[in-house]
Amino acid sequence: MAEQHGFRRVLVTGGAGFIGSHLCRRLLAEGCEVLCFDNLLTGHMSNIDELLGRPDFSFEHYDVTNYLYVDGPLDAILHFASPASPADFERLPIQILKVGSLGTHKALGLAKAKGARFLLASTSECYGDPEVNPQPETYLGRVNPVGIRGVYDEAKRFAEAMTMAYHRHHGVEARIVRIFNTFGPRMQIDDGRAIPNFMTKAILGEDVVVYGDGSQTRSIQFVDDLVEGIWRLLRSDYVGPMNIGSQAEISMADLARTIIRITESRSELVFGPLPADDPKVRRADNTLAREILGWEPQVPPEEGLRMTADYFRKALADRGST
Ligand code: NAD
Ligand code: UDP
């Protein structure tokens, strides 16, 4: 099967994380041999446990900010290593800056050496707290470089710049996906992002805390849709950033209410302080992905949230919390 698309041997950095673990499975299903490098900073072996015995999968406990060595050929590198939850922006600021800068540099150097295609996991955070809504790829963003979110936003913006420099200067085949808020099974209970927090509190029947007045918006997509978009982008000829995200915008208060309803919870909605620089609106303009990749989200948000709630119920029960 790998002969059809040419990606026989693929490295996924951050492959033991939430998105990375879904990506590894998809690449294996497409017939690729998958090498997963992860230092387990925010990822977990439980995300990839069931893959470990396979002859076409290998895991290396590795910090990708260090020199990267891979024996043998590589056809693609998907660089997904990086903490991604705003809760980690204050906890792990240096690690985030290092993996976005040094880690991206090392992964690009390896791509150049191997003649491999390079796909960068970038983010809608590149748009910062945007003045235009929805955000097309041409919008240059409004980021506070010295704010608490700056460590993540600027690391990713640097990573994009470095990726394009390797493309222009060294001819590395580059793809950049700007990922909008994605959720699904294998997000961690203590991840700190809105959906894991809302799910956990709702299932436990505790107060669900919405930051600010809850009017800030995001567009959310189920992880399977994202992975489909990434797979299509990897195989496409399109160079330069591409948004993969839903156009359906929801306020955080409505998202919390939806999660309380679908989990049949008796939790109350309460309000807490809004973190600095929290974007007031965010919504993907996914015209490019629709036109170039023929991609659009297939999983209705409520269906995805129900599948995710099933996962969180089990994860909480396994932890002995319910
Ligand atoms: P995650 O925290 O679950 O996964 C990140 C993985 O990277 C973890 O397994 C972690 O251990 C690993 N990692 C971190 N630093 C590393 C290092 N120096 N060396 C090796 N491994 C390292 O987060 P996620 O939500 O799966 O995000 C994956 C990627 O997608 C990130 O690059 C993130 O910026 C990007 N992204 C995610 C979203 C989203 O909504 N989930 C949105 C935009 C962008
Ligand atoms: N948020 C919230 N309660 C929480 C966690 C997050 O109200 O327990 C808000 C957060 O302030 C932001 C939105 O939900 O406005 C989405 O936050 P998330 O951490 O999921 O990701 P972001 O899109 O901000 O990177």
Side-chain angles (χ1 to χ4, degrees), residues 86 149 181 194 197-198 209-211 216 218 252 278 282:
R149 298 178 86 98
N181 295 59
N197 279 1
F198 295 169
V209 186
V210 172
Y211 303 154
Q216 70 273 29
R218 299 291 186 269
M252 289 305 102
D278 198 292
R282 182 184 292 153

Side-chain angles (χ1 to χ4, degrees), residues 197-219:
N197 279 1
F198 295 169
M199 286 278 175
T200 302
K201 296 293 183 184
I203 291 166
L204 297 176
E206 297 170 5
D207 286 349
V208 171
V209 186
V210 172
Y211 303 154
D213 64 5
S215 63
Q216 70 273 29
T217 64
R218 299 291 186 269
S219 54

